[in-house]
Amino acid sequence: MSQEPSAEGTNPQMSTQHALVILHHQSNCVLQLNQAAIDAGIRMGMGLGTAAALDQHLQVLPYKRDVEQKKLVEIAEHLYLVTSDISLFPPNGLLLRIHNMLMLYNGLNGYWRVIKNQLKDFQVTYYYASGQSPYAARILARTAWNQVSDHLPMLQHQIGIRQLTDSELDKKSVSKLARVGIHNLADLMALPLKDVAKRFDIDLVTYLGRLSGEFHHSVDFYHPQSKFQRYLELLYEISHTDTLLSPMRQLLAALEQFLKIRDLLTQKIIFTLYQRDNRTLTLEVGSAQGEYLADKWTNLSTLKLDNLVLQAPIFALELSAPDTQLRSPDKADLFSASKGTLTYLQLISLLQAKLGEEAISQVVLDDDFRPEKVNKYVPPHLEVTPKSISTYPLRPSFMLQTPQPLTEKVSIIHGPERISTGWWDNQQITRDYFIARNQHGQWLWIYRTTKSLWFAHGFFS
């Protein structure tokens, strides 16, 4: 089965208020159009001048082959949920091998209902047909037969009444056949292959064999992507980040579906924003816990957009999720008290998206007995296993960033506790620490150096 999406609705953002066409730059003909253009009288194959005369507000976009191919891959990815053997059929078709799926869907009609239901998720106009061979299905689809049937005589009749210009034959071969009175496929297929081989080249023989199904037609079947990557060409340029959120939601919805059916999570997504006449912008959004829901990623992306400044209009964007992991079910204690709607890691993700990843740190204990080095700031991680460090219990709650000379009279309450360490990094210290109390009733942590100099290093709460 071959199906070929036309240009209508290749993007859900396509305007329904104004006529819009996609124009081939070489032939200057309309290749694709939306419903508003059809209502205005514009048709596929029409020249730009005629189309513009029918609608003075006509919007014109250039045809891009790579965008069309990416859309076909997107459709193939979605159809793979319900059918197995899919092949990209250049230049703009999809080929479905269906005989091995008919038992699952109780016949051809049941199978086609499922396929049409999957295609509802895409705003595309497509032509379709079934056939006894890939070339047969494509000819009938190209000529908009729009029927599925396994009745071989009917299929052969439909193929026979098609003109040679509807086939895969080049113009030279069509002209050569026309000179001997052959204008449709029925006349051509009535000739024995031996006679065709004597009078014409081998390519024509091969084509006829594949068209009738007598020769094997090998195709490469599509395999689903292991990593998510989706490109979206905008039909209008976006200059404000608030407006950019709408197409981003569309890509995030596709990401959610991709992850959900595979039972995966991702901790980082990357938006690539293509600016007109300017460098490409990259927007990385992270989640310490890992998410798959589009709403969660939308909230994080919105916070990231608040700090983004566009230097030029955006004409396309791309979303990718480079790394994924298996999703584990949320574990909750049946008897635990009620908690907030945000987990610890979700809160970290929100703060990082709002303030920047470098602004959020976590305090951990380091394997160092120097008081000013025992605590250090590290980026928060998904899993933090605290080090098991034996520390003395008598430590102040408030440490001075830099020890200050002791200038007041104090009373020694406890001590000394000698700390002599740091020889390995040329920052060795030898200090005798005491717990003391000043005249105001404050409890201090003080120390004396080997030179009998006194310093205050912290305060007990």
Side-chain angles (χ1 to χ4, degrees), residues 408-442:
E408 58 182 328
K409 186 177 181 180
V410 297
S411 300
I412 301 295
I413 305 299
H414 183 273
E417 173 196 341
R418 172 155 290 193
I419 298 178
S420 180
T421 185
W423 51 267
W424 57 86
D425 60 2
N426 296 323
Q427 297 183 29
Q428 184 174 0
I429 63 169
T430 302
R431 301 170 183 170
D432 291 325
Y433 276 87
F434 302 85
I435 297 176
R437 187 177 182 182
N438 64 12
Q439 296 177 350
H440 304 289
Q442 293 176 306

PDB file of all heavy atoms in Angstrom, residues 408-442:
ATOM      1  N   GLU A 408      38.523  39.865  72.413  1.00  0.00           N
ATOM      2  CA  GLU A 408      37.773  40.053  73.657  1.00  0.00           C
ATOM      3  C   GLU A 408      38.192  39.003  74.670  1.00  0.00           C
ATOM      4  O   GLU A 408      38.781  37.974  74.335  1.00  0.00           O
ATOM      5  CB  GLU A 408      36.274  39.954  73.395  1.00  0.00           C
ATOM      6  CG  GLU A 408      35.833  38.630  72.768  1.00  0.00           C
ATOM      7  CD  GLU A 408      34.347  38.591  72.482  1.00  0.00           C
ATOM      8  OE1 GLU A 408      33.578  39.209  73.243  1.00  0.00           O
ATOM      9  OE2 GLU A 408      33.954  37.923  71.494  1.00  0.00           O
ATOM     10  N   LYS A 409      37.851  39.276  75.928  1.00  0.00           N
ATOM     11  CA  LYS A 409      38.191  38.361  77.005  1.00  0.00           C
ATOM     12  C   LYS A 409      37.171  37.249  77.059  1.00  0.00           C
ATOM     13  O   LYS A 409      35.967  37.489  77.012  1.00  0.00           O
ATOM     14  CB  LYS A 409      38.220  39.118  78.329  1.00  0.00           C
ATOM     15  CG  LYS A 409      38.720  38.278  79.499  1.00  0.00           C
ATOM     16  CD  LYS A 409      38.790  39.120  80.760  1.00  0.00           C
ATOM     17  CE  LYS A 409      39.309  38.276  81.940  1.00  0.00           C
ATOM     18  NZ  LYS A 409      39.392  39.064  83.188  1.00  0.00           N
ATOM     19  N   VAL A 410      37.634  35.993  77.125  1.00  0.00           N
ATOM     20  CA  VAL A 410      36.751  34.837  77.156  1.00  0.00           C
ATOM     21  C   VAL A 410      37.188  33.914  78.272  1.00  0.00           C
ATOM     22  O   VAL A 410      38.327  33.996  78.784  1.00  0.00           O
ATOM     23  CB  VAL A 410      36.754  34.082  75.802  1.00  0.00           C
ATOM     24  CG1 VAL A 410      36.223  34.961  74.685  1.00  0.00           C
ATOM     25  CG2 VAL A 410      38.149  33.555  75.485  1.00  0.00           C
ATOM     26  N   SER A 411      36.273  33.012  78.612  1.00  0.00           N
ATOM     27  CA  SER A 411      36.574  31.979  79.614  1.00  0.00           C
ATOM     28  C   SER A 411      36.596  30.627  78.919  1.00  0.00           C
ATOM     29  O   SER A 411      35.636  30.263  78.222  1.00  0.00           O
ATOM     30  CB  SER A 411      35.503  31.973  80.717  1.00  0.00           C
ATOM     31  OG  SER A 411      35.455  33.232  81.370  1.00  0.00           O
ATOM     32  N   ILE A 412      37.676  29.881  79.072  1.00  0.00           N
ATOM     33  CA  ILE A 412      37.797  28.564  78.454  1.00  0.00           C
ATOM     34  C   ILE A 412      36.909  27.584  79.218  1.00  0.00           C
ATOM     35  O   ILE A 412      37.012  27.443  80.443  1.00  0.00           O
ATOM     36  CB  ILE A 412      39.243  28.088  78.466  1.00  0.00           C
ATOM     37  CG1 ILE A 412      40.149  29.087  77.714  1.00  0.00           C
ATOM     38  CG2 ILE A 412      39.341  26.685  77.858  1.00  0.00           C
ATOM     39  CD1 ILE A 412      39.850  29.190  76.258  1.00  0.00           C
ATOM     40  N   ILE A 413      36.040  26.885  78.465  1.00  0.00           N
ATOM     41  CA  ILE A 413      35.128  25.926  79.082  1.00  0.00           C
ATOM     42  C   ILE A 413      35.560  24.497  78.791  1.00  0.00           C
ATOM     43  O   ILE A 413      35.475  23.620  79.646  1.00  0.00           O
ATOM     44  CB  ILE A 413      33.683  26.142  78.573  1.00  0.00           C
ATOM     45  CG1 ILE A 413      33.259  27.593  78.820  1.00  0.00           C
ATOM     46  CG2 ILE A 413      32.707  25.179  79.245  1.00  0.00           C
ATOM     47  CD1 ILE A 413      33.261  28.008  80.280  1.00  0.00           C
ATOM     48  N   HIS A 414      36.015  24.262  77.536  1.00  0.00           N
ATOM     49  CA  HIS A 414      36.375  22.901  77.149  1.00  0.00           C
ATOM     50  C   HIS A 414      37.542  22.950  76.178  1.00  0.00           C
ATOM     51  O   HIS A 414      37.643  23.843  75.357  1.00  0.00           O
ATOM     52  CB  HIS A 414      35.170  22.208  76.477  1.00  0.00           C
ATOM     53  CG  HIS A 414      35.424  20.780  76.111  1.00  0.00           C
ATOM     54  ND1 HIS A 414      35.994  20.407  74.921  1.00  0.00           N
ATOM     55  CD2 HIS A 414      35.178  19.618  76.794  1.00  0.00           C
ATOM     56  CE1 HIS A 414      36.091  19.096  74.855  1.00  0.00           C
ATOM     57  NE2 HIS A 414      35.603  18.589  76.001  1.00  0.00           N
ATOM     58  N   GLY A 415      38.427  21.965  76.282  1.00  0.00           N
ATOM     59  CA  GLY A 415      39.546  21.870  75.382  1.00  0.00           C
ATOM     60  C   GLY A 415      40.842  21.622  76.118  1.00  0.00           C
ATOM     61  O   GLY A 415      40.837  21.518  77.351  1.00  0.00           O
ATOM     62  N   PRO A 416      41.925  21.524  75.396  1.00  0.00           N
ATOM     63  CA  PRO A 416      42.067  21.709  73.945  1.00  0.00           C
ATOM     64  C   PRO A 416      41.771  20.430  73.141  1.00  0.00           C
ATOM     65  O   PRO A 416      41.782  19.339  73.668  1.00  0.00           O
ATOM     66  CB  PRO A 416      43.527  22.098  73.797  1.00  0.00           C
ATOM     67  CG  PRO A 416      44.215  21.325  74.894  1.00  0.00           C
ATOM     68  CD  PRO A 416      43.239  21.308  76.046  1.00  0.00           C
ATOM     69  N   GLU A 417      41.508  20.667  71.832  1.00  0.00           N
ATOM     70  CA  GLU A 417      41.386  19.606  70.832  1.00  0.00           C
ATOM     71  C   GLU A 417      42.333  19.965  69.701  1.00  0.00           C
ATOM     72  O   GLU A 417      42.146  20.967  69.015  1.00  0.00           O
ATOM     73  CB  GLU A 417      39.950  19.515  70.300  1.00  0.00           C
ATOM     74  CG  GLU A 417      39.803  18.550  69.146  1.00  0.00           C
ATOM     75  CD  GLU A 417      38.488  18.755  68.391  1.00  0.00           C
ATOM     76  OE1 GLU A 417      37.552  19.355  68.930  1.00  0.00           O
ATOM     77  OE2 GLU A 417      38.426  18.306  67.215  1.00  0.00           O
ATOM     78  N   ARG A 418      43.373  19.176  69.578  1.00  0.00           N
ATOM     79  CA  ARG A 418      44.378  19.497  68.560  1.00  0.00           C
ATOM     80  C   ARG A 418      43.965  18.947  67.199  1.00  0.00           C
ATOM     81  O   ARG A 418      43.580  17.785  67.076  1.00  0.00           O
ATOM     82  CB  ARG A 418      45.733  18.939  68.957  1.00  0.00           C
ATOM     83  CG  ARG A 418      46.790  19.052  67.864  1.00  0.00           C
ATOM     84  CD  ARG A 418      48.177  19.082  68.407  1.00  0.00           C
ATOM     85  NE  ARG A 418      48.444  20.339  69.100  1.00  0.00           N
ATOM     86  CZ  ARG A 418      49.686  20.745  69.462  1.00  0.00           C
ATOM     87  NH1 ARG A 418      50.735  19.993  69.199  1.00  0.00           N
ATOM     88  NH2 ARG A 418      49.854  21.873  70.098  1.00  0.00           N
ATOM     89  N   ILE A 419      44.078  19.817  66.190  1.00  0.00           N
ATOM     90  CA  ILE A 419      43.865  19.428  64.794  1.00  0.00           C
ATOM     91  C   ILE A 419      45.147  19.743  64.051  1.00  0.00           C
ATOM     92  O   ILE A 419      45.526  20.908  63.905  1.00  0.00           O
ATOM     93  CB  ILE A 419      42.671  20.158  64.154  1.00  0.00           C
ATOM     94  CG1 ILE A 419      41.371  19.798  64.882  1.00  0.00           C
ATOM     95  CG2 ILE A 419      42.555  19.823  62.671  1.00  0.00           C
ATOM     96  CD1 ILE A 419      40.148  20.515  64.330  1.00  0.00           C
ATOM     97  N   SER A 420      45.813  18.705  63.590  1.00  0.00           N
ATOM     98  CA  SER A 420      47.061  18.856  62.844  1.00  0.00           C
ATOM     99  C   SER A 420      46.921  18.007  61.572  1.00  0.00           C
ATOM    100  O   SER A 420      46.984  16.772  61.637  1.00  0.00           O
ATOM    101  CB  SER A 420      48.254  18.399  63.678  1.00  0.00           C
ATOM    102  OG  SER A 420      49.453  18.561  62.943  1.00  0.00           O
ATOM    103  N   THR A 421      46.728  18.657  60.438  1.00  0.00           N
ATOM    104  CA  THR A 421      46.447  17.937  59.197  1.00  0.00           C
ATOM    105  C   THR A 421      46.755  18.848  58.006  1.00  0.00           C
ATOM    106  O   THR A 421      47.161  19.998  58.178  1.00  0.00           O
ATOM    107  CB  THR A 421      44.972  17.482  59.170  1.00  0.00           C
ATOM    108  OG1 THR A 421      44.755  16.681  58.024  1.00  0.00           O
ATOM    109  CG2 THR A 421      44.039  18.671  59.132  1.00  0.00           C
ATOM    110  N   GLY A 422      46.541  18.334  56.817  1.00  0.00           N
ATOM    111  CA  GLY A 422      46.715  19.128  55.598  1.00  0.00           C
ATOM    112  C   GLY A 422      48.101  19.101  55.028  1.00  0.00           C
ATOM    113  O   GLY A 422      48.415  19.897  54.125  1.00  0.00           O
ATOM    114  N   TRP A 423      48.919  18.159  55.466  1.00  0.00           N
ATOM    115  CA  TRP A 423      50.299  18.132  54.976  1.00  0.00           C
ATOM    116  C   TRP A 423      50.383  17.748  53.497  1.00  0.00           C
ATOM    117  O   TRP A 423      51.374  18.035  52.827  1.00  0.00           O
ATOM    118  CB  TRP A 423      51.103  17.129  55.812  1.00  0.00           C
ATOM    119  CG  TRP A 423      50.441  15.780  55.921  1.00  0.00           C
ATOM    120  CD1 TRP A 423      49.612  15.362  56.902  1.00  0.00           C
ATOM    121  CD2 TRP A 423      50.545  14.707  54.993  1.00  0.00           C
ATOM    122  NE1 TRP A 423      49.172  14.088  56.670  1.00  0.00           N
ATOM    123  CE2 TRP A 423      49.744  13.648  55.485  1.00  0.00           C
ATOM    124  CE3 TRP A 423      51.247  14.508  53.794  1.00  0.00           C
ATOM    125  CZ2 TRP A 423      49.618  12.441  54.820  1.00  0.00           C
ATOM    126  CZ3 TRP A 423      51.127  13.314  53.141  1.00  0.00           C
ATOM    127  CH2 TRP A 423      50.306  12.292  53.645  1.00  0.00           C
ATOM    128  N   TRP A 424      49.348  17.094  52.959  1.00  0.00           N
ATOM    129  CA  TRP A 424      49.418  16.545  51.590  1.00  0.00           C
ATOM    130  C   TRP A 424      49.225  17.585  50.489  1.00  0.00           C
ATOM    131  O   TRP A 424      49.575  17.359  49.353  1.00  0.00           O
ATOM    132  CB  TRP A 424      48.376  15.441  51.403  1.00  0.00           C
ATOM    133  CG  TRP A 424      46.966  15.911  51.687  1.00  0.00           C
ATOM    134  CD1 TRP A 424      46.111  16.520  50.839  1.00  0.00           C
ATOM    135  CD2 TRP A 424      46.305  15.837  52.931  1.00  0.00           C
ATOM    136  NE1 TRP A 424      44.944  16.832  51.465  1.00  0.00           N
ATOM    137  CE2 TRP A 424      45.025  16.417  52.762  1.00  0.00           C
ATOM    138  CE3 TRP A 424      46.654  15.334  54.195  1.00  0.00           C
ATOM    139  CZ2 TRP A 424      44.118  16.502  53.804  1.00  0.00           C
ATOM    140  CZ3 TRP A 424      45.743  15.411  55.215  1.00  0.00           C
ATOM    141  CH2 TRP A 424      44.475  15.999  55.022  1.00  0.00           C
ATOM    142  N   ASP A 425      48.672  18.772  50.816  1.00  0.00           N
ATOM    143  CA  ASP A 425      48.431  19.788  49.777  1.00  0.00           C
ATOM    144  C   ASP A 425      49.093  21.120  50.095  1.00  0.00           C
ATOM    145  O   ASP A 425      48.671  22.171  49.611  1.00  0.00           O
ATOM    146  CB  ASP A 425      46.935  19.983  49.560  1.00  0.00           C
ATOM    147  CG  ASP A 425      46.213  20.436  50.822  1.00  0.00           C
ATOM    148  OD1 ASP A 425      46.893  20.624  51.856  1.00  0.00           O
ATOM    149  OD2 ASP A 425      44.974  20.593  50.775  1.00  0.00           O
ATOM    150  N   ASN A 426      50.147  21.061  50.953  1.00  0.00           N
ATOM    151  CA  ASN A 426      50.905  22.273  51.313  1.00  0.00           C
ATOM    152  C   ASN A 426      50.036  23.330  51.982  1.00  0.00           C
ATOM    153  O   ASN A 426      50.328  24.528  51.901  1.00  0.00           O
ATOM    154  CB  ASN A 426      51.590  22.870  50.065  1.00  0.00           C
ATOM    155  CG  ASN A 426      52.636  21.952  49.478  1.00  0.00           C
ATOM    156  OD1 ASN A 426      53.350  21.261  50.223  1.00  0.00           O
ATOM    157  ND2 ASN A 426      52.739  21.916  48.160  1.00  0.00           N
ATOM    158  N   GLN A 427      48.938  22.909  52.625  1.00  0.00           N
ATOM    159  CA  GLN A 427      48.118  23.832  53.413  1.00  0.00           C
ATOM    160  C   GLN A 427      47.955  23.268  54.830  1.00  0.00           C
ATOM    161  O   GLN A 427      46.864  23.212  55.381  1.00  0.00           O
ATOM    162  CB  GLN A 427      46.749  24.018  52.749  1.00  0.00           C
ATOM    163  CG  GLN A 427      46.826  24.653  51.377  1.00  0.00           C
ATOM    164  CD  GLN A 427      45.460  24.899  50.762  1.00  0.00           C
ATOM    165  OE1 GLN A 427      44.475  25.102  51.466  1.00  0.00           O
ATOM    166  NE2 GLN A 427      45.388  24.891  49.444  1.00  0.00           N
ATOM    167  N   GLN A 428      49.082  22.867  55.390  1.00  0.00           N
ATOM    168  CA  GLN A 428      49.075  22.212  56.695  1.00  0.00           C
ATOM    169  C   GLN A 428      48.694  23.197  57.789  1.00  0.00           C
ATOM    170  O   GLN A 428      49.067  24.373  57.774  1.00  0.00           O
ATOM    171  CB  GLN A 428      50.453  21.612  56.990  1.00  0.00           C
ATOM    172  CG  GLN A 428      50.517  20.828  58.291  1.00  0.00           C
ATOM    173  CD  GLN A 428      51.855  20.133  58.469  1.00  0.00           C
ATOM    174  OE1 GLN A 428      52.723  20.240  57.606  1.00  0.00           O
ATOM    175  NE2 GLN A 428      52.011  19.418  59.578  1.00  0.00           N
ATOM    176  N   ILE A 429      47.910  22.703  58.754  1.00  0.00           N
ATOM    177  CA  ILE A 429      47.541  23.509  59.930  1.00  0.00           C
ATOM    178  C   ILE A 429      47.840  22.699  61.181  1.00  0.00           C
ATOM    179  O   ILE A 429      47.764  21.464  61.176  1.00  0.00           O
ATOM    180  CB  ILE A 429      46.050  23.905  59.911  1.00  0.00           C
ATOM    181  CG1 ILE A 429      45.160  22.656  59.978  1.00  0.00           C
ATOM    182  CG2 ILE A 429      45.709  24.752  58.694  1.00  0.00           C
ATOM    183  CD1 ILE A 429      43.690  22.977  60.232  1.00  0.00           C
ATOM    184  N   THR A 430      48.204  23.389  62.231  1.00  0.00           N
ATOM    185  CA  THR A 430      48.347  22.807  63.570  1.00  0.00           C
ATOM    186  C   THR A 430      47.696  23.778  64.528  1.00  0.00           C
ATOM    187  O   THR A 430      48.232  24.883  64.758  1.00  0.00           O
ATOM    188  CB  THR A 430      49.817  22.561  63.935  1.00  0.00           C
ATOM    189  OG1 THR A 430      50.407  21.681  62.964  1.00  0.00           O
ATOM    190  CG2 THR A 430      49.937  21.949  65.324  1.00  0.00           C
ATOM    191  N   ARG A 431      46.552  23.418  65.088  1.00  0.00           N
ATOM    192  CA  ARG A 431      45.767  24.317  65.928  1.00  0.00           C
ATOM    193  C   ARG A 431      45.246  23.552  67.150  1.00  0.00           C
ATOM    194  O   ARG A 431      44.953  22.362  67.055  1.00  0.00           O
ATOM    195  CB  ARG A 431      44.579  24.892  65.157  1.00  0.00           C
ATOM    196  CG  ARG A 431      44.941  25.669  63.911  1.00  0.00           C
ATOM    197  CD  ARG A 431      43.687  25.968  63.108  1.00  0.00           C
ATOM    198  NE  ARG A 431      43.971  26.658  61.841  1.00  0.00           N
ATOM    199  CZ  ARG A 431      43.080  26.851  60.882  1.00  0.00           C
ATOM    200  NH1 ARG A 431      41.839  26.377  61.029  1.00  0.00           N
ATOM    201  NH2 ARG A 431      43.408  27.480  59.779  1.00  0.00           N
ATOM    202  N   ASP A 432      45.130  24.286  68.245  1.00  0.00           N
ATOM    203  CA  ASP A 432      44.495  23.766  69.449  1.00  0.00           C
ATOM    204  C   ASP A 432      43.170  24.493  69.624  1.00  0.00           C
ATOM    205  O   ASP A 432      43.145  25.717  69.836  1.00  0.00           O
ATOM    206  CB  ASP A 432      45.378  23.993  70.690  1.00  0.00           C
ATOM    207  CG  ASP A 432      46.639  23.141  70.652  1.00  0.00           C
ATOM    208  OD1 ASP A 432      46.548  22.007  70.151  1.00  0.00           O
ATOM    209  OD2 ASP A 432      47.705  23.615  71.096  1.00  0.00           O
ATOM    210  N   TYR A 433      42.041  23.750  69.478  1.00  0.00           N
ATOM    211  CA  TYR A 433      40.708  24.343  69.521  1.00  0.00           C
ATOM    212  C   TYR A 433      40.136  24.243  70.935  1.00  0.00           C
ATOM    213  O   TYR A 433      40.342  23.240  71.651  1.00  0.00           O
ATOM    214  CB  TYR A 433      39.775  23.634  68.531  1.00  0.00           C
ATOM    215  CG  TYR A 433      39.904  24.171  67.111  1.00  0.00           C
ATOM    216  CD1 TYR A 433      40.862  23.657  66.238  1.00  0.00           C
ATOM    217  CD2 TYR A 433      39.076  25.198  66.665  1.00  0.00           C
ATOM    218  CE1 TYR A 433      40.986  24.151  64.944  1.00  0.00           C
ATOM    219  CE2 TYR A 433      39.186  25.693  65.381  1.00  0.00           C
ATOM    220  CZ  TYR A 433      40.141  25.163  64.523  1.00  0.00           C
ATOM    221  OH  TYR A 433      40.254  25.676  63.251  1.00  0.00           O
ATOM    222  N   PHE A 434      39.365  25.299  71.304  1.00  0.00           N
ATOM    223  CA  PHE A 434      38.723  25.371  72.605  1.00  0.00           C
ATOM    224  C   PHE A 434      37.283  25.839  72.422  1.00  0.00           C
ATOM    225  O   PHE A 434      36.959  26.529  71.447  1.00  0.00           O
ATOM    226  CB  PHE A 434      39.452  26.364  73.546  1.00  0.00           C
ATOM    227  CG  PHE A 434      40.895  26.038  73.778  1.00  0.00           C
ATOM    228  CD1 PHE A 434      41.882  26.464  72.885  1.00  0.00           C
ATOM    229  CD2 PHE A 434      41.276  25.327  74.908  1.00  0.00           C
ATOM    230  CE1 PHE A 434      43.213  26.183  73.118  1.00  0.00           C
ATOM    231  CE2 PHE A 434      42.619  25.041  75.136  1.00  0.00           C
ATOM    232  CZ  PHE A 434      43.581  25.466  74.235  1.00  0.00           C
ATOM    233  N   ILE A 435      36.457  25.457  73.389  1.00  0.00           N
ATOM    234  CA  ILE A 435      35.109  26.027  73.487  1.00  0.00           C
ATOM    235  C   ILE A 435      35.157  27.043  74.624  1.00  0.00           C
ATOM    236  O   ILE A 435      35.568  26.715  75.752  1.00  0.00           O
ATOM    237  CB  ILE A 435      34.057  24.946  73.767  1.00  0.00           C
ATOM    238  CG1 ILE A 435      34.009  23.952  72.605  1.00  0.00           C
ATOM    239  CG2 ILE A 435      32.681  25.571  73.984  1.00  0.00           C
ATOM    240  CD1 ILE A 435      33.063  22.796  72.829  1.00  0.00           C
ATOM    241  N   ALA A 436      34.747  28.277  74.300  1.00  0.00           N
ATOM    242  CA  ALA A 436      34.867  29.372  75.277  1.00  0.00           C
ATOM    243  C   ALA A 436      33.566  30.151  75.326  1.00  0.00           C
ATOM    244  O   ALA A 436      32.679  30.006  74.481  1.00  0.00           O
ATOM    245  CB  ALA A 436      36.033  30.280  74.887  1.00  0.00           C
ATOM    246  N   ARG A 437      33.479  31.006  76.363  1.00  0.00           N
ATOM    247  CA  ARG A 437      32.297  31.851  76.548  1.00  0.00           C
ATOM    248  C   ARG A 437      32.759  33.259  76.839  1.00  0.00           C
ATOM    249  O   ARG A 437      33.659  33.481  77.662  1.00  0.00           O
ATOM    250  CB  ARG A 437      31.454  31.314  77.697  1.00  0.00           C
ATOM    251  CG  ARG A 437      30.115  32.012  77.881  1.00  0.00           C
ATOM    252  CD  ARG A 437      29.329  31.371  78.994  1.00  0.00           C
ATOM    253  NE  ARG A 437      28.022  31.994  79.158  1.00  0.00           N
ATOM    254  CZ  ARG A 437      27.137  31.640  80.097  1.00  0.00           C
ATOM    255  NH1 ARG A 437      27.471  30.687  80.985  1.00  0.00           N
ATOM    256  NH2 ARG A 437      25.971  32.249  80.167  1.00  0.00           N
ATOM    257  N   ASN A 438      32.148  34.231  76.126  1.00  0.00           N
ATOM    258  CA  ASN A 438      32.547  35.624  76.344  1.00  0.00           C
ATOM    259  C   ASN A 438      31.666  36.288  77.395  1.00  0.00           C
ATOM    260  O   ASN A 438      30.764  35.658  77.975  1.00  0.00           O
ATOM    261  CB  ASN A 438      32.542  36.403  75.026  1.00  0.00           C
ATOM    262  CG  ASN A 438      31.141  36.492  74.426  1.00  0.00           C
ATOM    263  OD1 ASN A 438      30.136  36.184  75.069  1.00  0.00           O
ATOM    264  ND2 ASN A 438      31.079  36.903  73.157  1.00  0.00           N
ATOM    265  N   GLN A 439      31.901  37.584  77.613  1.00  0.00           N
ATOM    266  CA  GLN A 439      31.195  38.311  78.666  1.00  0.00           C
ATOM    267  C   GLN A 439      29.712  38.518  78.343  1.00  0.00           C
ATOM    268  O   GLN A 439      28.910  38.795  79.239  1.00  0.00           O
ATOM    269  CB  GLN A 439      31.864  39.675  78.895  1.00  0.00           C
ATOM    270  CG  GLN A 439      33.287  39.548  79.406  1.00  0.00           C
ATOM    271  CD  GLN A 439      33.964  40.896  79.565  1.00  0.00           C
ATOM    272  OE1 GLN A 439      33.439  41.922  79.126  1.00  0.00           O
ATOM    273  NE2 GLN A 439      35.138  40.902  80.209  1.00  0.00           N
ATOM    274  N   HIS A 440      29.320  38.375  77.075  1.00  0.00           N
ATOM    275  CA  HIS A 440      27.922  38.545  76.665  1.00  0.00           C
ATOM    276  C   HIS A 440      27.149  37.230  76.709  1.00  0.00           C
ATOM    277  O   HIS A 440      25.985  37.179  76.314  1.00  0.00           O
ATOM    278  CB  HIS A 440      27.846  39.126  75.251  1.00  0.00           C
ATOM    279  CG  HIS A 440      28.580  40.423  75.108  1.00  0.00           C
ATOM    280  ND1 HIS A 440      28.141  41.608  75.672  1.00  0.00           N
ATOM    281  CD2 HIS A 440      29.763  40.713  74.471  1.00  0.00           C
ATOM    282  CE1 HIS A 440      28.985  42.582  75.379  1.00  0.00           C
ATOM    283  NE2 HIS A 440      29.988  42.061  74.651  1.00  0.00           N
ATOM    284  N   GLY A 441      27.786  36.170  77.140  1.00  0.00           N
ATOM    285  CA  GLY A 441      27.133  34.868  77.233  1.00  0.00           C
ATOM    286  C   GLY A 441      27.183  34.070  75.950  1.00  0.00           C
ATOM    287  O   GLY A 441      26.544  33.010  75.862  1.00  0.00           O
ATOM    288  N   GLN A 442      27.902  34.511  74.950  1.00  0.00           N
ATOM    289  CA  GLN A 442      28.012  33.774  73.690  1.00  0.00           C
ATOM    290  C   GLN A 442      29.054  32.667  73.812  1.00  0.00           C
ATOM    291  O   GLN A 442      30.096  32.849  74.454  1.00  0.00           O
ATOM    292  CB  GLN A 442      28.408  34.722  72.553  1.00  0.00           C
ATOM    293  CG  GLN A 442      27.347  35.751  72.194  1.00  0.00           C
ATOM    294  CD  GLN A 442      27.847  36.716  71.140  1.00  0.00           C
ATOM    295  OE1 GLN A 442      28.902  37.341  71.309  1.00  0.00           O
ATOM    296  NE2 GLN A 442      27.084  36.838  70.054  1.00  0.00           N
TER     297      GLN A 442
END
